[in-house]
Amino acid sequence: MPGSRRQIYEGLVALNEEMFPKVCGRCGQVFHSVDDYLHKTRRLFHCSGLRRYEEPSLSFLGLYRNCRCGSTLLAMFQDRRDESEVGMRRRTRFQAVLDQLVEAGWDRSIAREEVEKILAGQKSTLLELFLAR
C-alpha cells in the first residue's frame, strides 16, 4: 500500500480502536464496532438506554444495551466537543485523515462522510476500494 494510503488506513484504525472492541464481562461476547454492538445486543425493556454524562472537561453519551446472556452493557461515545487531551488527539487524527484524503483527490464532504461511517462501525465501500488500489 503506497505511503499516503497507509497513513490514511492507520489513521482510520487509530480512530476506531479508541471505541471498540467491547467485551461482555459475563459471557465474553466481543463487539467489534457500533453496528456489531447494536446487532448483537437488545434494547433495554423499560427505556431507550441513552444517558448523557457531563463533567467539567468531558461530555459523552452512554448507550446501555442487554447482551444476549442478560448482562447490561454500556458503550460510551464521546461528544465531538470533547476538549480533553484524548478528545483533542482524536480530532487531530480525524482531521489528518480528512486532509490526506483531500490531498489524494477526494471531495472534503465525501471524505468526511466516509470516515464518519467507519467511526460508526459501518462499511465504507469507497474507502475500501481506495485503500485496495
Side-chain angles (χ1 to χ4, degrees):
M1 185 178 299
S4 65
R5 287 196 185 107
R6 175 168 293 292
Q7 289 174 328
I8 292 167
Y9 174 76
E10 288 170 357
L12 290 168
V13 168
L15 285 167
N16 207 25
E17 280 179 350
E18 292 183 16
M19 292 196 312
F20 287 91
K22 300 267 185 221
V23 179
C24 176
R26 185 174 186 192
C27 70
Q29 174 69 54
V30 178
F31 307 96
H32 298 282
S33 65
V34 175
D35 192 50
D36 195 38
Y37 178 72
L38 292 173
H39 282 88
K40 290 181 179 175
T41 58
R42 287 175 254 176
R43 184 173 180 252
L44 299 181
F45 178 71
H46 60 283
C47 66
S48 70
L50 291 173
R51 182 170 178 192
R52 182 162 200 73
Y53 297 88
E54 295 192 46
E55 296 185 21
S57 64
L58 184 63
S59 177
F60 52 93
L61 182 68
L63 177 58
Y64 290 88
R65 305 271 297 177
N66 284 331
C67 182
R68 291 177 181 164
C69 73
S71 182
T72 300
L73 307 171
L74 170 63
M76 302 301 286
F77 302 93
Q78 291 182 348
D79 187 324
R80 289 175 45 180
R81 295 166 291 174
D82 177 8
E83 298 295 331
S84 70
E85 184 179 328
V86 171
M88 297 298 284
R89 188 173 55 241
R90 185 172 170 83
R91 278 205 305 277
T92 300
R93 285 182 187 151
F94 182 88
Q95 190 61 49
V97 169
L98 282 184
D99 291 345
Q100 290 167 345
L101 288 169
V102 169
E103 286 174 22
W106 285 57
D107 175 83
R108 184 167 291 279
S109 63
I110 291 172
R112 177 179 292 281
E113 287 175 19
E114 296 305 307
V115 172
E116 286 174 350
K117 282 182 187 177
I118 297 294
L119 293 177
Q122 299 171 0
K123 183 177 180 176
S124 168
T125 304
L126 291 176
L127 280 171
E128 287 178 8
L129 290 170
F130 176 76
L131 295 171
R133 288 194 279 157

